[in-house]
Amino acid sequence: MSGATPAISGLYRLPIGGDGAAVLARGLIERLGDAPPEALARVEIWLNTRRAARRLTEQLAPPGGPPRLLPRIRLIPDLMRDPALALEPPMPIEPLRRRLLLARLVRALIEGAPGLAPAASAFDIADALAALLDELQMAGTDPAAIAALDLGEHAQHWQHSRAFLDILVEAWPALRAEAASGAPDPEVQQRRAVAALAASWQAAPPDHPVIVAGSTGSRATTRQLMQAVLDLPSGALVLPGLDPDLPAGVWEQLGPDHPQSALAQVLVATAADPAAIAPWCPTAEPPSEPRNRLISLALRPAPVTDQWLEEAPARAVEVGQATARMTLLTAPTAREEAAAIAWRLRTAAEDGQQAALVTPDRTLARRVTAALARWRIVPDDSAGRPLGQTPPGVFLRLVATAIGRPAEAATLLALLKHPLAGGVGEVRGRHLGHLRRFERDILRGRAPQIAWRSVEAWAAKDAARLPWAEHLAAALSPLEHLGRASLTDMAAHHRAAAEALSRGLGPDLPLWDKAAGEEAERLLANLAEVSDAAGPLTPVDYRALLETMLADRQVRQEAFRPHPGIAILGLLEARMQSADLVILAGLNDGIWPVMPAADPWLSRTMRSALALPPAEQQIGLSAHDFQQASAAAEVVLSRSLRDDDGPTVASRWLVRLENLIGGLGPEGAAALEEMQARGARLLAEAVALERPAERIAAAGRPAPRPPAAARPRALSVTAVETLIRDPYAIYARHILGLRPLPSPGRQADPLARGEALHRIMARFALAAEDGTDLRQALETAAEVELAEVPWAAARRFWQARIADIADTLLAGEAERRARGRPLGVEVTGAREIPTLGFTLTARADRIDRSPAGTLAIYDYKSGTPPTKKQVSAFAKQLPLEASMAEAGGFTDIDPAPVGHLEFIGLNRAAATMRLDMEDQDITAIWAEFTRLIAAFADPGTAYPARARAEYIAYAGDYDHLARRGEWDDGDAAAVEDVG
């Protein structure tokens, strides 16, 4: 044999369902035959993805296989960067630069016409315009054609979108100017690269085979490359998943949503007859020809579905064979779907099967990965993880929240507890030690925003923590005062703060470690490189830009030794490889296929006028991926009846397939039933796997019985209601000493509102002397007290609340003034039960004295005052305060009869509730209270949980400790002696 490489030319097809890379390699070896080893090295192969290139390399040079020289494997997306083409300029425009240029124009438009869109949406709009620009470039349409669109017959909202479309017309010359300086649009550069390569081939045709494999030719530029290859003396196209069972007449009726529609465009462009396209490797058979014929029939376009009836007899004969290794898994929820898939992958790994999960649903893929972790199986995941979900991405987002505004306690706590904060080793240990004290003293239960002066004052009390606090302030306070600034300044300040917080007080910087850290560092460097295109940004603009960039960038999962037989593939990667078992998951409409989003800029007529493809084209590509993957040797078709948002709808392809199989007579009904039965068994096994071997008995309703010495010797009047309704809460708080942990940065909750309203009413009561303008006194009290409220929105809302109920409050105050005069507000008091060694304490909101010498006690309620029935059962506060007053228990107030008890509502209704003193036997109520305390002083009395909860919805601070949910309120209490 001579050293010449055999000629390879024409169109070929890979079998549907076959391992594309394996068949491509096998066919190439067979076609080269007895050619010398260097013949393979002279072959040039163009593929779509790096994973496909790796897979082909593995098939040509498998471990333990014969040594071979490898062909030149090239990637179609990298063509624009080929230095051999000597294109000027050499690199496409940086995508971020283009985004910033467009966003600057969008912001200018919105500033001139604020009604068009919110200012914060500038980057989202710029991204949508960039996507449209990409479509125009892929179609070879000049953006200037937008200006020629006639919108006279279109709806009014298209006229509004025209203002944004004109940005593309305006921006295109600017982008071309960028091209003149060395950065054209990516699609323009790719098209130029294809044209340059085709011209070089035409001038000097290569003397070696050139093959384009695995591409559906969905892009016009790729079709141009494919045509240029086909024109070569030794050029070949190897099409993935071309359907040989599609009748000739059907090819002319394919819509854009059919699986063969993209390949049909290639056939039209090359004037090829589908029936004449030979298999690339004649000796490589598809895993199941009957299944291929069945799926091909199921996916026929709507105008020819009458062929179902024509071909039904032939398909019925082989339906059992076609579906013998097909499983239909329908899970109740997405979680159970992931569990069942993980279980099937685990059994495949145990049996030595090559298995692949194919899904566009990344959430489902992550759930499956998490479920596999229980068996320490790490799948080889082709997709990355959004940078924003990695530790460095989360850390950068947390730091960015402090730009242009005071640091908030909750966010600051999350930032400082982040694993990348505070350094490494002993440095981080000391950081966490200071942080625990900082959290307790400053961050929890105080104002939501942090004042660095107060932090430094706190730190000054301890010399050991002062450098730590000063370091925090030095890192974050510059961000707080950063306003509208250049992107360079924004990114520089952001990076400086992130590095300082990550390094802590030590020398090591963990933030930029590993692949995710390196990608995060490149992101900030990228921002600095293109900052001149952005113009001045506000902190809100910067955060929006950062969020989109973090979401766009993918980081390859850093898995240690992924399992060699378990893979998770995206749709594009699955075109050129298969496995013994393929699981198609997430088969719900909206996921697979993804529904085309409504075009915000162009109607169908307008898209057609601009020669843009219909939105359904993407559905056709997804359909092709479904047809290809579902033809594997063994297939599981999986979906869930519900996802996180509610009920789901089965994928249209799955519905078609089920309807066809079920309609193929008794044979089809039996086949469908067996597919569903296999899925039900798989789901049952996965559910059983999570079922514990032994059922743990549910906890009973706790009723601890502590010794007498541990029982409380004092309670406040407000705690008496808790003692009656939920004694367990008293046990947890006053015996165990447990307190609810305040949230980081106290929020404007009902308790905070009640405290503020109480202070207002206390100041008002003391200020409103005779002759005082009551309305002015109320307004002044509200203004003074609310000035101390740290939440601006709540401050305005509560001030409005006081203004709304002012007339009612003032009318009630006039009655109270006629009844008596205030003796004191927030008056402390106590009364003992000497025989029990117990003290009842109180803080009365307001006590007045009448001219007759009797006392009136008032209690403010920021919510609805209790009813008389509630007072008789639970709310004993005012009657107990009355007994305390009559016994002289209040500070600086002489004992006197109580003639009036009243709850004053401070809610919207501002209702009051007066207790009828004839019904309030103060002496009897105190005696009843004494009996209650005596009962709980008895060592034989337990503290049951939720003894008399008024409402089922009532929630206590200690319900989780009592393990509520394992028992019901009607269950008997489980009394237990505790030490």
Side-chain angles (χ1 to χ4, degrees), residues 155-175:
Q156 183 64 36
H157 70 274
W158 296 118
Q159 304 287 347
H160 292 160
S161 71
R162 181 60 175 267
F164 291 103
L165 290 175
D166 287 342
I167 287 178
L168 285 186
V169 180
E170 177 185 351
W172 185 236
L175 295 175

Side-chain angles (χ1 to χ4, degrees), residues 27-53:
L28 183 59
I29 298 301
E30 290 181 2
R31 289 179 181 279
L32 292 179
D34 295 330
E38 64 269 19
L40 180 58
R42 301 185 72 244
V43 176
E44 183 177 344
I45 301 177
W46 290 83
L47 300 172
N48 267 331
T49 66
R50 298 190 187 281
R51 191 179 183 97

Side-chain angles (χ1 to χ4, degrees), residues 810-863:
L810 294 176
E813 183 63 23
E815 293 181 12
R816 289 185 282 277
R817 292 284 165 169
R819 192 177 296 117
R821 289 292 181 270
L823 288 178
V825 296
E826 300 294 328
V827 187
T828 59
R831 184 178 180 183
E832 294 184 356
I833 306 178
T835 57
L836 299 176
F838 182 88
T839 303
L840 178 68
T841 63
R843 182 182 293 273
D845 289 343
R846 173 175 170 179
I847 300 178
D848 288 9
R849 189 187 298 277
S850 71
T854 61
L855 301 178
I857 304 178
Y858 300 99
D859 188 72
Y860 301 118
K861 294 295 182 184
S862 57

Side-chain angles (χ1 to χ4, degrees), residues 917-931:
M917 295 306 299
E918 295 181 0
D919 295 337
Q920 302 299 314
D921 187 335
I922 304 301
T923 302
I925 289 175
W926 181 255
E928 179 185 359
F929 171 72
T930 301
R931 288 193 295 274

Side-chain angles (χ1 to χ4, degrees), residues 503-521:
R503 184 179 288 113
L505 295 176
D508 298 319
L509 177 62
L511 179 57
W512 310 130
D513 288 347
K514 301 183 180 179
E518 292 170 1
E519 184 64 26
E521 186 174 22

Side-chain angles (χ1 to χ4, degrees), residues 7 60 67 79 181 184 189 279 524 599 683 699 836 857:
L60 289 170
L79 177 59
S181 64
Q189 183 75 338
L524 292 184
D599 191 328
L683 181 62
L836 299 176
I857 304 178

Side-chain angles (χ1 to χ4, degrees), residues 714-721 734 838-843 880 929:
L715 289 175
S716 68
V717 290
T718 55
V720 173
E721 179 176 352
H734 294 276
F838 182 88
T839 303
L840 178 68
T841 63
R843 182 182 293 273
L880 289 174
F929 171 72

